[in-house]
């Protein structure tokens, strides 16, 4: 098709009245559009105004890992081969790996207690690297440990050019501590939450919280050196010990071969695709794509049940005495997978696994890529004979405990979308995974349980947590802070998990379901298999909003994340509850065996909050 060509004005030619009028009108219109854009808040950076799908990598990072596990002695040795492609704009001769098992809280003092064999009984896991080798030429690059031995720095002799790949082989070994079962019981979990609420003591995630053996179950959330995530030419090097998650990694494909003694059953984010008998051991091979980590669960008394939801295999892994509750967990997880897939988009995973694990009392759940662990203390079958030994005040909270477990299953499944598929720096911007996953649990209730249960969940799981926190004297805070700024799980749950989640409910009411879910899906599509930041999320909502609502969207983000308006938006402290509790109250489980009696009279609201999974 021919196109019209505009005639050029001769130099020095005069404007006609008609052309001068049209030119002035065009200028006036342009300035009007500019003014309206400013007033409506639509002048954002292009990346925030219209989220563009980031180019998906043609090839993921690839890990080939071989592990030999000594389950009884809680040790392992391993070799990993990593293929990494430089996606930056400049050559690099330095690669950074994180050794997450070596993270220690400030002021940590290593145990000196010894066992019968004279060996020190370490109360923390340990990961040691013995060799790094370049596969192509067998060169042995120098490597150093930094940041209290949590960062492995590999110095290459030759730089890796942009879009070029390198393969490294790393030899390593590790050890895992055994946790006292008394740290993992339901009563201990509840007492810890009461203590955190009353005392406001600072908590720190410990490496032992996710790498341990207890009650015959071994959890190895991060058992090998893992490449730090990268943004352009910059590495995400910083590791903060805090109340939140520390793991920030890029998407990778895994091939893992794991050898363990016969009778030891092993589960990972994906099912085993082959099993080979070898003397007194069994070798399992696993292959998983689009994962950010590769957690391992092992034990002699573990079972599994599964179902299929669309293209996703949903599994529930559990100890034999938790079978009744584990089946309920499987049903909840399947419903959540279906709802989130329809609302957010398809997962780049084939399997979602929920595991019953004896987590310590400061931790109610752990979210890994393709696999989530929930504290086995909350797998309570209230009809079982063992419940007769529980305090009456716990038995009376059957509905609260069961509702809390259902909410938590929906929450950890949502992390497969927010945190696993769409990655983020969880330590710096926990609102992107924690807050959004907690709001997603409310979505599960809305679509699976109906309006009455949804209203109850909104009050008890979100608003109630914040109100109780304020009643105990907790200070309202900005939900956009880094995880290290929150003192303990109680404060983190009130501000990030609850207040942050309620921001999404405010956005939904502002925009309506169609545009709200359109924004979430746009954010998911643009950042799936990437590492997103808060500007990506804000930009998706601003872009989806009508021009006249864009400024209101920005104000909603600022109000909920950057200001202290929680009492006005959620609810103030409850003075009647505070009076009944007689805050502050001294709680010392070792001195007072009837520690619950002082709280029993308070009633439903208090115990609904204290029996939640945090």
């Amino acid at each position: 098709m021919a196109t019209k060509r505009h005639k050029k004005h001769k130099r020095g030619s005069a404007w006609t009245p008609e052309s001068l009028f049209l030119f002035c009108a065009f200028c006036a219109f342009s300035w009007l559009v500019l003014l309206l854009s400013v007033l409506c808040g639509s002048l954002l950076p292009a990346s925030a105004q219209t989220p563009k799908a980031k180019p998906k990598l043609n090839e993921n990072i690839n890990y080939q890992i071989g592990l030999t596990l000594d389950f009884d002695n809680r040790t392992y040795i391993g070799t990993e081969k990593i293929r990494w492609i430089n996606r930056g704009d400049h050559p690099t001769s330095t690669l950074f790996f994180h050794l997450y098992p070596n993270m220690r809280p400030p002021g940590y003092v290593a145990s000196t207690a010894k066992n019968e064999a004279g060996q020190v009984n370490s109360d923390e896991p340990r990961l040691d690297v013995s060799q790094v080798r370049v596969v192509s030429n067998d060169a042995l690059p120098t490597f150093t440990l930094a940041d209290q031995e949590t960062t492995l720095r590999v110095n290459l002799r030759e730089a890796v050019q942009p879009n070029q790949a390198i393969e490294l082989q790393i030899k390593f070994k590790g050890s895992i501590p055994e946790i006292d079962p008394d740290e993992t019981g339901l009563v201990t979990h509840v007492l810890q939450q009461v203590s955190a609420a009353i005392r406001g003591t600072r908590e720190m995630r410990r490496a032992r919280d996710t790498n341990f053996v207890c009650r015959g179950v071994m959890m190895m959330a991060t058992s090998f050196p893992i490449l730090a995530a990268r943004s352009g030419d910059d590495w995400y090097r910083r590791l903060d010990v805090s109340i939140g998650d520390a793991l920030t990694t890029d998407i990778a494909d895994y091939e893992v071969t794991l050898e363990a003694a016969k009778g030891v059953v092993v589960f990972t984010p994906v099912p085993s695709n082959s099993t080979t008998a070898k003397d007194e051991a069994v070798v399992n091979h696993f292959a998983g794509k689009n994962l950010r980590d590769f957690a391992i669960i092992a034990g002699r008394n573990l079972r599994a049940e599964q179902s299929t939801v669309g293209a996703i295999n949903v599994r529930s892994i559990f100890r034999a005495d938790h079978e009744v509750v584990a089946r309920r967990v499987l049903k909840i997880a399947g419903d959540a997978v279906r709802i989130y897939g329809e609302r957010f988009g398809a997962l780049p995973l084939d399997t979602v696994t929920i595991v019953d694990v004896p987590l310590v009392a400061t931790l109610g759940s752990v979210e890994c890529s393709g696999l989530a662990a929930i504290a086995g203390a909350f797998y309570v079958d209230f009809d079982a004979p063992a419940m007769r030994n529980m305090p009456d005040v716990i038995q009376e909270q059957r509905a609260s405990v069961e509702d809390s477990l259902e909410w938590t299953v929906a929450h950890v499944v949502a992390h497969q979308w927010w945190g696993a598929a769409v990655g983020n720096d969880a330590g710096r911007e926990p609102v992107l995974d924690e807050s959004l996953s907690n709001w997603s649990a409310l979505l599960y209730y809305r679509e699976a349980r109906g309006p009455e249960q949804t209203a109850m969940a909104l009050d008890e799981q979100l608003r109630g947590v914040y109100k109780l926190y304020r009643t105990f004297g907790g200070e309202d805070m900005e939900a956009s802070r880094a995880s290290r700024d929150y003192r303990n799980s109680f404060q983190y749950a009130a501000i990030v998990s609850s207040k942050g989640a309620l921001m999404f409910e405010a956005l939904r009411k502002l925009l309506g379901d169609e545009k709200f879910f359109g924004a979430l899906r746009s954010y998911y599509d643009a950042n799936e298999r990437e590492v997103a930041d808060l500007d990506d999320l804000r930009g998706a909502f601003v872009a989806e909003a009508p021009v006249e609502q864009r400024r209101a969207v920005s104000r909603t983000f600022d109000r909920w994340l950057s200001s202290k308006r929680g009492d006005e938006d959620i609810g103030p402290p409850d003075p009647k509850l505070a009076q009944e509790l007689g805050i502050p109250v001294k709680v010392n489980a070792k001195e007072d065996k009837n520690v619950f009696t002082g709280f029993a009279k308070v009633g439903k609201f208090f115990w609904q909050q204290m029996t939640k999974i945090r």
Side-chain angles (χ1 to χ4, degrees):
M1 180 183 296
T3 58
K4 295 182 180 180
R5 295 187 178 183
H6 297 281
K7 294 182 180 179
K8 297 181 180 179
H9 287 288
K10 294 181 180 180
R11 185 174 298 176
S13 61
W15 289 92
T16 65
E18 294 81 7
S19 62
L20 183 60
F21 173 80
L22 291 173
F23 178 77
C24 292
F26 174 77
C27 290
F29 177 76
S30 299
W31 279 108
L32 179 60
V33 170
L34 181 62
L35 180 61
L36 287 174
S37 298
V38 173
L39 292 176
C40 294
S42 63
L43 279 185
L44 295 173
S47 61
Q49 182 178 357
T50 306
K52 297 179 181 179
K54 298 177 182 178
K56 305 300 182 186
L57 303 183
N58 294 326
E59 184 180 351
N60 290 336
I61 297 168
N62 182 268
Y63 290 86
Q64 296 179 19
I65 301 173
L67 283 175
T68 300
L69 176 64
D70 186 340
F71 183 86
D72 293 325
N73 290 312
R74 308 188 310 278
T75 61
Y76 59 91
I77 57 173
T79 302
E80 68 180 22
K81 182 189 294 184
I82 312 100
R83 175 179 169 81
W84 178 77
I85 301 175
N86 181 6
R87 299 294 184 182
D89 297 324
H90 301 91
T92 183
S93 57
T94 307
L95 273 65
F96 293 94
F97 294 77
H98 284 145
L99 310 183
Y100 287 99
N102 294 345
M103 292 184 68
R104 301 291 184 264
Y108 169 76
V109 177
S111 171
T112 57
K114 296 182 179 181
N115 58 22
E116 296 178 355
Q119 299 170 321
V120 174
N121 287 323
S122 175
D123 60 348
E124 290 284 351
R126 179 74 190 176
L127 179 59
D128 293 306
V129 173
S130 59
Q131 185 187 83
V132 179
R133 180 175 69 87
V134 178
V135 173
S136 62
N137 57 15
D138 284 335
L140 299 176
T142 60
F143 63 90
T144 57
L145 295 177
D147 306 320
Q148 288 76 52
E149 300 188 344
T150 63
T151 301
L152 170 68
R153 175 175 179 150
V154 178
N155 305 301
L156 303 172
R157 297 177 184 177
E158 297 181 6
V160 183
Q161 302 299 317
N163 297 317
Q164 296 299 307
I166 186 171
E167 285 190 341
L168 296 178
Q169 184 186 73
I170 300 177
K171 293 183 178 181
F172 58 92
K173 65 178 181 179
S175 61
I176 305 162
E178 185 168 11
I179 302 296
D180 186 341
D182 288 343
E183 295 184 58
T184 69
L186 179 60
V187 173
T188 309
H189 273 264
V190 176
L191 283 174
Q192 186 278 329
Q193 293 182 29
V194 173
S195 179
I198 293 174
R199 296 171 178 164
T201 52
R202 176 168 288 280
E203 296 173 16
M204 291 286 182
R205 291 280 179 264
R206 298 174 60 178
R208 74 193 284 266
D209 294 347
T210 56
N211 298 274
F212 65 90
V213 175
C214 185
R215 299 181 186 270
V217 177
M218 176 181 286
M219 181 174 189
M220 300 162 62
T222 48
S223 56
F224 56 92
I226 189 166
L227 273 165
R230 208 162 185 246
S231 177
D233 291 306
D234 298 324
W235 296 87
Y236 286 86
R237 286 191 56 189
R238 180 167 180 166
L239 290 182
D240 285 319
V241 180
S242 70
I243 193 61
D245 298 325
L247 201 70
T248 302
T249 58
D250 286 319
I251 284 287
D253 297 337
Y254 286 86
E255 297 177 46
V256 179
T257 300
L258 198 153
E259 179 179 328
K262 289 182 178 179
V264 176
V265 184
V266 177
F267 295 96
T268 75
V270 293
S272 172
N273 58 19
S274 67
T275 302
T276 305
K278 178 183 176 182
D279 298 330
E280 297 300 317
V282 174
V283 180
N284 285 284
H285 182 266
F286 307 89
K289 293 183 177 295
N290 302 319
L291 298 168
R292 295 188 184 274
D293 50 56
F294 201 88
I296 297 169
I297 306 292
R300 291 191 171 91
N301 190 30
L302 293 174
R303 299 182 183 179
E305 292 203 7
Q306 62 184 32
S307 63
T308 302
V309 180
I312 304 293
N313 179 34
V314 182
R315 296 190 301 173
S316 178
I317 312 299
F318 55 93
R319 286 174 284 165
D321 54 336
H322 290 169
E323 182 175 359
V324 172
V325 180
R327 286 178 174 172
R328 180 168 174 258
V329 166
L330 179 63
K331 173 65 169 59
I332 298 167
D335 289 341
V337 166
R338 173 183 54 80
I339 291 167
Y340 302 153
E342 293 171 353
R343 285 296 196 177
F344 307 145
L347 276 180
L349 305 173
D350 297 325
T351 305
V352 171
T353 301
I354 311 296
V355 190
D356 151 30
V357 174
L359 299 175
V360 295
T362 56
L363 195 61
S365 63
V366 177
E367 297 86 19
C368 303
S369 191
L371 181 149
I374 297 177
F378 291 88
Y379 277 60
V380 182
D381 179 5
F382 283 87
D383 296 321
M387 277 304 297
R388 297 169 189 158
N389 298 323
M390 280 287 182
D392 291 342
V393 71
I394 293 291
Q395 296 188 52
E396 292 167 1
Q397 294 305 311
R398 175 171 185 162
S400 179
V401 173
E402 291 179 348
D403 287 346
S404 181
L405 179 62
E406 182 170 10
W407 178 275
T408 302
V409 174
H411 172 97
V412 299
V413 170
H415 268 284
Q416 298 309 316
W417 277 261
W418 317 121
V422 176
N424 65 288
D425 186 339
R428 186 172 62 91
E429 294 180 326
V431 68
L432 292 178
D433 61 311
E434 185 64 25
S435 301
L436 188 46
S437 293
N438 220 32
W439 176 85
S440 298
L442 184 65
L443 170 66
Y444 159 85
Y445 267 76
R446 182 171 286 121
E447 301 203 2
R449 299 296 302 274
E452 183 177 344
Q453 290 293 323
T454 301
M456 187 179 300
L458 180 63
D459 284 336
E460 295 180 359
Q461 302 289 347
L462 296 179
R463 292 179 182 145
V465 176
Y466 174 85
K467 289 172 64 178
L468 189 71
Y469 163 76
R470 291 286 290 123
T471 299
F472 273 96
E475 179 186 359
D476 189 9
M477 297 173 63
E478 302 89 346
S480 58
R481 289 191 180 189
S483 296
R484 64 179 180 274
D485 292 335
Y486 303 101
R487 293 190 61 82
N488 52 43
S489 55
F490 189 48
Q491 186 177 64
Y492 187 81
I495 303 300
V496 178
S497 303
S498 298
K499 183 180 176 182
L502 286 167
M503 179 195 72
F504 291 99
E505 188 66 3
L507 286 168
R508 187 185 69 84
K509 291 179 178 178
L510 173 67
L511 294 174
D513 280 4
E514 182 179 354
K515 293 193 177 299
F516 175 83
F517 286 108
L520 274 185
R521 190 152 194 144
S522 176
Y523 169 69
Y524 180 78
D525 290 343
N527 296 285
E528 183 215 340
R529 288 182 279 179
E530 303 291 338
V531 177
D533 58 32
L534 191 55
D535 285 340
D536 294 318
L537 179 69
R538 184 190 294 258
F541 277 95
V542 170
E544 189 68 25
V547 172
E548 64 274 11
Q549 283 189 312
R550 290 180 176 178
R551 194 166 186 176
V553 168
S554 292
R555 285 198 301 263
T556 301
F557 270 86
D558 292 340
R559 182 182 183 98
W560 287 89
L561 300 185
S562 304
S563 65
K564 301 177 182 180
R565 309 286 287 274
D567 289 5
E568 182 180 345
D569 294 332
I570 304 171
D574 186 338
K576 182 180 178 181
L577 178 64
Q579 184 178 10
E580 289 179 321
L581 283 172
I583 296 172
V585 179
K586 183 177 181 180
V587 177
N588 191 321
K590 293 182 179 179
E591 295 177 2
D592 185 1
K593 296 181 180 180
N594 296 316
V595 69
F596 289 105
T597 57
F599 301 107
K601 64 179 182 179
V602 176
K604 182 179 179 182
F605 178 75
F606 176 79
W607 283 110
Q608 280 174 339
Q609 299 307 320
M610 289 299 101
T611 52
K612 285 192 179 359
I613 303 176
R614 305 192 204 282

